[in-house]
Amino acid sequence: MNSFMFAFGWASTMLMLGVFLRAKIPAFRSMLIPASVIGGVLGIVFMNITAGAGMGIGTDTGMFTTIVNHLFTVSFISISLTSAPKEKNNGAKNILMGSVGMGLVWCLLYALTPLLSFGIVFVFGKNVDMDAIYGMLIQFAFCQGPGQSASYGAIFEQYGWSNAATVAIAFSALGFIVAFLIGIPAAKLGVKRGIAKNCGKIDDAILKGYLKKEEQTEVMVKDTTCNSNIETLAFHFAMIGLCYILAVGIGKVLSCLPGFLGSSMQGMMFMNGMYAAYIVKFILKKLKLDFLLENTLQSKITGWTADYLVVCAFMSVSVSIIKAWIAPIIIVTILMTVVTFIVCFYFGQRFGGSNDFERTLGMYGMCTGTVPSGIALVRIIDPDFKTSTSVELGACNLVMLASTPVYMLILAYASGSLGLAVTLGGLFACIIGYLVLLKVCRCWGKKSYSWKG
C-alpha cells in the first residue's frame, strides 16, 4: 500500500492522541502545549521503537521528511494567497518599533547561532566524525521551523553533506520543546512579578483545547463557488496545486543562475511557491476574480499545514541515522537555547514599549520554534490580545529579509564556493551590522521593565 497514506494515517493518529492528552492531562493544559507537539513527541518515540523492533508500519522516516518539504511549500503558497487584514491604527509607531526590533533581533540570532554552533560542533563533534558545518543548520531550525530546516537540509545534501535534513529537523523538533519548556515558566514568572499587565483568566476552552457544542459560535467560512460545480475547499486546494506547478517552473528558470546560486534557488521551493502565489494572486486581481479566494478558509488551510508540519517533523527524525551525533546535537541545542534566551530577554526589555514583555516572550517563541509558537506564549499573558504583539510578530517577517546575506554565505560555504575564513568573517560582519541597525532604529534603549517587578 501507499507509503504516503500510511504516513498521513500515523501522523493523524498522533495528532488525535495529542488532542486527547491535551484535554485530559492537567500539566499539558496549564502549559498550553499544542496537540501537534504532544503528538510529535509520541510520534518520534513510536517511529524509532517500531523501526528498532523491525516492525513494518507501511512507511518510514524518509517519507515524513518528504512530506515536511512539500507541506512547507504548500504553507508558503497558502500564506501568500491570503490577503493581509486591514489593521486599525492602534499606535502605528509602536507597532513599527516592535516589528523592526523583533525582526532585527531575529536576524541577529540568525547570524549569531550558526557562528557559535559551528565552533561547538568543531569541538564536540570531532570524536564522532561530525563535521562542524552541521552546526550551521541550527538557525534554519530554531529561527525558521521544521519546513525551512528540511528545505535547507536538503540543499546541504545536494552539496554532499549526508543526513543534513535529518540533523536540521532534529534541531527543529528540539526547538519546539525548549520553546515551551522555557517560555511557559518565564511567562508565569512574569505574571507573578506583575510584569504582565494584560493577563486575564484563560478560559476553559483554551486550556482543554477544544470547543463544546454550546461554545461553537464561530462560522468557519463562506462559500465562494457553487458546490454543484466545485466545492469551495476543492477550489482553494486546486489553486494551491496550480501554484505548486508554477513554482516548479520558476525553480527550473532559477536553476539557470550560475554556480551555487542556481541549485540553491531551485532547491528553495518554499520561496518559489511564494513567488508563484503572488503571481497568481496578481492575475486574479487584474481579472477581478480575487473574490473567489476566501481569507478565513485560506488561513485554516495554512493552520492545517502547520499542525501536520510539526508532527511530521518529529516523526521524520530517525535516531538510528544520527545516533552517533546525538551528544553534539543536544549540546548545541542546550547552549543555543541559553543564547537565544539571553539575547531575546536582553533586547526585549529595551524596545521601549508598554508591551515589551509580551514582545520578549513572543520573540523567544518565534526564535526557537515558529511565529505560532511565539503567539501561543503571548496568549498566556495576553489572552485577549489587548496589545499589538501578535500583529508585530507577523509584520516583523518583512524585516527578516535582512537575513538574506546570512543564508547566502552559509549556502556558498556548504557548496564549496566560499572559504571558511570568509564565511565566518561574513557572519561576524552581519552580527555587527544588525547590532548597529538596532541602535540606529532606536530599538536598543533603556530597560522598559524589570524582573524585580
Side-chain angles (χ1 to χ4, degrees), residues 272-292:
N272 300 334
M274 182 180 69
Y275 303 146
Y278 283 138
I279 291 170
V280 168
K281 192 162 69 170
F282 174 79
I283 293 172
L284 287 174
K285 284 184 177 180
K286 284 295 181 182
L287 296 175
K288 297 183 179 179
L289 295 173
D290 54 313
F291 63 87
L292 291 171

Side-chain angles (χ1 to χ4, degrees), residues 45 79 83 112 195 203 205 210 252 259-260 288 292 362 417 448:
V45 173
I79 290 169
S83 297
L112 178 63
I195 305 171
D203 62 42
Y210 66 90
K252 293 288 185 183
F260 81 98
K288 297 183 179 179
L292 291 171
S417 302
S448 59

Side-chain angles (χ1 to χ4, degrees), residues 13-24:
T13 301
M14 297 305 156
L15 274 172
M16 289 298 96
L17 286 172
V19 171
F20 175 78
L21 293 174
R22 163 66 179 269
K24 296 298 180 182

Side-chain angles (χ1 to χ4, degrees), residues 65 68-69 129-141 145-173 313 316-318 321-322 325 329 410-411 414-415:
T65 301
V68 168
N69 272 312
D129 295 323
M130 183 179 185
D131 195 283
I133 195 173
Y134 287 96
M136 290 187 173
L137 294 166
I138 186 68
Q139 79 287 351
F140 301 133
Q148 281 172 289
S149 63
S151 296
Y152 282 108
I155 294 173
F156 268 52
E157 290 182 356
Q158 290 177 16
Y159 297 143
W161 301 103
S162 60
N163 301 320
T166 302
V167 173
I169 295 174
F171 280 136
S172 180
S316 68
V317 177
S318 175
I321 292 177
I322 57 171
W325 296 352
I329 288 173
I410 292 172
L411 291 180
S415 70

Side-chain angles (χ1 to χ4, degrees), residues 120-329:
I120 293 167
V121 178
F122 180 81
V123 173
F124 293 99
K126 284 183 177 180
N127 296 332
V128 291
D129 295 323
M130 183 179 185
D131 195 283
I133 195 173
Y134 287 96
M136 290 187 173
L137 294 166
I138 186 68
Q139 79 287 351
F140 301 133
F142 268 40
C143 290
Q144 293 182 305
Q148 281 172 289
S149 63
S151 296
Y152 282 108
I155 294 173
F156 268 52
E157 290 182 356
Q158 290 177 16
Y159 297 143
W161 301 103
S162 60
N163 301 320
T166 302
V167 173
I169 295 174
F171 280 136
S172 180
L174 291 168
F176 275 109
I177 293 173
V178 299
F180 292 97
L181 191 65
I182 306 298
I184 291 171
K188 291 183 174 180
L189 181 60
V191 173
K192 184 179 179 181
R193 296 284 173 87
I195 305 171
K197 309 297 183 184
N198 300 287
C199 52
K201 189 180 185 299
I202 300 176
D203 62 42
D204 190 52
I206 293 176
L207 288 172
K208 65 180 183 290
Y210 66 90
L211 298 171
K212 293 180 180 178
K213 188 174 181 179
E214 60 272 16
E215 296 170 328
Q216 299 171 6
T217 57
E218 295 293 327
V219 177
M220 191 168 91
V221 296
K222 56 179 183 278
D223 285 332
T224 61
T225 60
C226 295
N227 295 344
S228 59
N229 178 36
I230 183 173
E231 176 63 51
T232 299
L233 180 61
F235 176 81
H236 282 69
F237 270 105
M239 193 64 69
I240 289 173
L242 171 65
C243 291
Y244 195 97
I245 295 300
L246 181 56
V248 173
I250 292 172
K252 293 288 185 183
V253 173
L254 292 176
S255 68
C256 298
L257 291 171
F260 81 98
L261 281 175
S263 57
S264 297
M265 297 303 287
Q266 183 183 21
M268 292 183 195
M269 269 295 288
F270 60 94
M271 293 293 289
N272 300 334
M274 182 180 69
Y275 303 146
Y278 283 138
I279 291 170
V280 168
K281 192 162 69 170
F282 174 79
I283 293 172
L284 287 174
K285 284 184 177 180
K286 284 295 181 182
L287 296 175
K288 297 183 179 179
L289 295 173
D290 54 313
F291 63 87
L292 291 171
L293 293 177
E294 211 287 317
N295 248 22
T296 305
L297 177 56
Q298 202 69 65
S299 297
K300 294 293 183 183
I301 293 172
T302 303
W304 171 80
T305 63
D307 285 333
Y308 274 90
L309 260 174
V310 173
V311 73
C312 288
F314 276 91
M315 296 179 76
S316 68
V317 177
S318 175
V319 176
S320 62
I321 292 177
I322 57 171
K323 61 182 179 182
W325 296 352
I326 290 293
I329 288 173

